[in-house]
Amino acid sequence: MVDAGPGEDAWNLGLDALLASQALLPRLIINTHTHADHCGSNSYFIRKYRARVACTPLEALRAKQPIVEPMMIFGAVPPENLMTKFFLFEPFEAITLFKLSGTGSKAVYTVEPGGFSEHRFHGIDVQVVSLPGHTPGHIGVGKDGVLFVGDALIPQAALVTNPIPIYWDASTAIKTLVVLKDFVNKRTYETLICAHGGKLVDPLNDLETVLKRVRDVLQTLVERADEGDMTLDSAMEVLARRWRMNLVAPTEYFLVRSAVLSYLAYLTDLKILRMVVNKSRLQWLPSTKRNSFEEIISQEMVAKG
Ligand SMILES: [Zn+2]
């Protein structure tokens, strides 16, 4: 099973009945990532069927200690109204996929976007494909030309309600989207299945649309920075205005805020913006030795090699 679901009782019972109707036993759950809406149901299937769980080491950290998610997203121990099932789930142990790469303090258990490993689980051959960005250790699961992409790609229809694609790492998320485009173009995988939206009829169209949205978000931030005195709140305001986004719940606010920070971090690393603290205010300003946004972003959004 790839991603068990959000852990609500009705969901668990419905999925359980569906599996029973197909005479299927959930022996192994592969989690694309450990967001609560993907792994909240794990504990139900672990308890009932002794199912095991596999995910990448970075995701397994959160599996063991789900409380780190609201702490990461808030930046401190948050107030109680962020400690909800939107972020939290029952902890579980997971078998970890992928090996350690890099050395010293920056060593991480990860594989570059598009890197993969072959596995045989209970007699079933699958590819585990690295698709980081939405979360640091996000993976896809491939079989027979079909790739389950989890949240690495949201279908373009979802941009209506979620206009800002949610990434922990916008830089890597773009590489992942470019890799997915390459997969479809080269027919490595012809069918992409999203966690939120199912099988895509025209995956290239969705990939192009989401990449364009990412580019538009970045460009909007660069233009706002050019006007001067861009704080995180003013960055969020300009994006909310442009895409008529009306955040009302603190959970949603902090999720989008983390995504906006990832876009700002990306522009800072590209030396298009610089982050300064001025009279105790954090601001993003145009970089003094300004790299050209158009030039860089066009290179970033093209498949390498
Ligand atoms: Zn997610």
Side-chain angles (χ1 to χ4, degrees):
M1 185 149 67
V2 182
D3 288 348
E8 287 147 15
D9 290 345
W11 171 277
N12 293 344
L13 295 174
L15 181 53
D16 202 0
L18 179 69
L19 291 167
S21 74
Q22 305 291 313
L24 291 170
L25 267 182
R27 304 283 299 278
L28 179 78
I29 299 164
I30 304 178
N31 273 130
T32 57
H33 63 301
T34 49
H35 274 161
D37 55 334
H38 295 249
C39 67
S41 294
N42 285 9
S43 53
Y44 174 86
F45 292 99
I46 292 168
R47 256 197 297 277
K48 186 157 181 188
Y49 299 101
R50 292 202 208 147
R52 292 189 305 161
V53 181
C55 62
T56 57
L58 278 166
E59 300 297 320
L61 290 177
R62 191 164 39 204
K64 278 188 185 171
Q65 299 283 305
I67 203 157
V68 298
E69 174 79 1
M71 287 180 187
M72 270 162 58
I73 212 146
F74 187 70
V77 175
E80 280 297 321
N81 63 350
L82 280 191
M83 295 285 208
T84 67
K85 69 184 173 72
F86 190 80
F87 295 122
L88 295 173
F89 50 85
E90 202 175 314
F92 57 89
E93 290 288 332
I95 310 157
T96 51
L97 306 159
F98 292 168
K99 299 268 182 295
L100 189 68
S101 87
T103 53
S105 64
K106 288 198 169 169
V108 283
Y109 287 90
T110 189
V111 176
E112 81 284 357
F116 68 96
S117 54
E118 308 259 9
H119 299 265
R120 172 166 286 188
F121 295 119
H122 303 285
I124 300 172
D125 292 318
V126 295
Q127 301 97 40
V128 170
V129 186
S130 178
L131 303 174
H134 173 69
T135 60
H138 191 294
I139 50 170
V141 181
K143 182 161 181 55
D144 303 332
V146 177
L147 184 62
F148 188 88
V149 300
D151 286 355
L153 170 65
I154 51 162
Q156 55 178 316
L159 291 174
V160 177
T161 42
N162 302 289
I164 313 296
I166 301 295
Y167 304 131
W168 272 111
D169 178 349
S171 165
T172 315
I174 290 172
K175 291 187 178 73
T176 285
L177 292 171
V178 171
V179 157
L180 287 174
K181 243 176 80 177
D182 205 39
F183 281 163
V184 178
N185 278 327
K186 291 183 176 156
R187 302 189 155 209
T188 314
Y189 296 103
E190 291 187 48
T191 303
L192 303 187
I193 300 179
C194 301
H196 303 278
K199 179 179 162 182
L200 300 176
V201 178
D202 183 357
L204 277 181
N205 192 24
D206 289 88
L207 283 158
E208 291 290 359
T209 306
V210 173
L211 273 166
K212 178 166 186 315
R213 178 57 56 87
V214 170
R215 188 192 181 110
D216 288 346
V217 167
L218 291 166
Q219 187 154 16
T220 304
L221 292 172
V222 171
E223 285 168 5
R224 175 63 190 82
D226 282 342
E227 289 170 19
D229 191 30
M230 179 167 74
T231 60
L232 176 59
D233 275 334
S234 55
M236 288 193 59
E237 272 162 24
V238 74
L239 297 175
R241 224 177 9 252
R242 169 146 187 200
W243 283 285
R244 294 196 187 89
M245 184 171 62
N246 183 21
L247 302 171
V248 285
T251 44
E252 287 172 30
Y253 172 86
F254 279 100
L255 195 64
V256 174
R257 173 184 178 270
S258 75
V260 174
L261 280 168
S262 93
Y263 290 107
L264 290 168
Y266 177 53
L267 290 167
T268 306
D269 284 343
L270 290 175
K271 305 211 180 338
I272 291 169
L273 299 186
R274 63 196 168 100
M275 183 173 72
V276 294
V277 178
N278 187 9
K279 293 182 181 159
S280 302
R281 291 176 88 232
L282 181 66
Q283 296 170 303
W284 273 270
L285 306 173
S287 183
T288 32
K289 281 190 209 156
R290 172 73 168 269
N291 285 323
S292 155
F293 173 75
E294 282 298 324
E295 212 173 286
I296 292 178
I297 209 70
S298 299
Q299 286 165 9
E300 290 277 309
M301 292 191 171
V302 171
K304 313 276 189 304

